[in-house]
Amino acid sequence: MARSDFTFSFPFRIRYSEVDGQRVVFNAHYLTYFDTAITEFLRSRDIGYNEHFSPDTFDFHLVKATVEYKRPIRFDDEIDVWVRIGAAGRSSVTFAIEIHPRGEDALLSTGDIIWVYTDMTTGRSSPVPGWFLERMGWQPA
């Protein structure tokens, strides 16, 4: 994927508490960056999570998370986490994610986050609402 395939990014500056003994970002923090960027992506599309999803009716469940580490990210680096919808199925949405140094094309990490839309009263998957995919700018190929 090229950075030009994305229209949304969220910036981070790496804090000391996020790095390990080698001053490289500890692996689990990548998922925090992904989750924060997805939340901000939703906000940018006027989808307030608390307003649209509920543990009593319908909500998304994370079913898969993948991270590929391409190059180390170090303390005090400035990065942009790019997010877009990579795929959508009947009941699932896959977020494609890339991390780049701020304003640069070099690829530091890639990942996918898969959510399944769930009827919280039955615990079963449910069709992703059309309004959600529309607001997210999903265009099937």
Side-chain angles (χ1 to χ4, degrees):
M1 235 176 300
R3 201 174 80 172
S4 61
D5 292 336
F6 294 82
T7 60
F8 178 84
S9 70
F10 192 74
F12 291 88
R13 177 177 230 132
I14 306 307
R15 300 172 296 181
Y16 186 78
S17 63
E18 297 166 339
V19 299
D20 60 20
Q22 294 89 33
R23 296 200 174 155
V24 173
V25 171
F26 179 69
N27 58 39
H29 287 293
Y30 285 73
L31 293 174
T32 300
Y33 302 150
F34 290 5
D35 186 64
T36 302
I38 289 169
T39 299
E40 295 304 326
F41 184 39
L42 294 174
R43 273 195 191 108
S44 77
R45 302 292 199 246
D46 198 30
I47 300 173
Y49 204 90
N50 290 331
E51 294 80 27
H52 292 94
F53 310 107
S54 167
D56 299 322
T57 56
F58 291 89
D59 204 347
F60 282 100
H61 287 176
L62 172 72
V63 297
K64 184 175 182 182
T66 59
V67 181
E68 290 189 43
Y69 306 95
K70 304 292 188 181
R71 295 184 182 168
I73 302 172
R74 300 184 187 283
F75 169 66
D76 217 28
D77 283 354
E78 294 182 62
I79 61 172
D80 290 316
V81 180
W82 293 84
V83 181
R84 70 180 181 84
I85 299 290
R90 183 191 78 79
S91 63
S92 67
V93 176
T94 301
F95 294 95
I97 301 171
E98 290 187 357
I99 299 177
H100 296 268
R102 173 103 17 98
E104 296 180 27
D105 289 329
L107 186 58
L108 301 173
S109 178
T110 63
D112 292 299
I113 297 293
I114 301 175
W115 284 359
V116 170
Y117 196 61
T118 304
D119 179 334
M120 299 302 287
T121 60
T122 66
R124 296 183 183 269
S125 64
S126 186
V128 175
W131 66 263
F132 178 83
L133 295 173
E134 184 178 310
R135 281 197 198 173
M136 296 305 286
W138 172 245
Q139 302 278 324

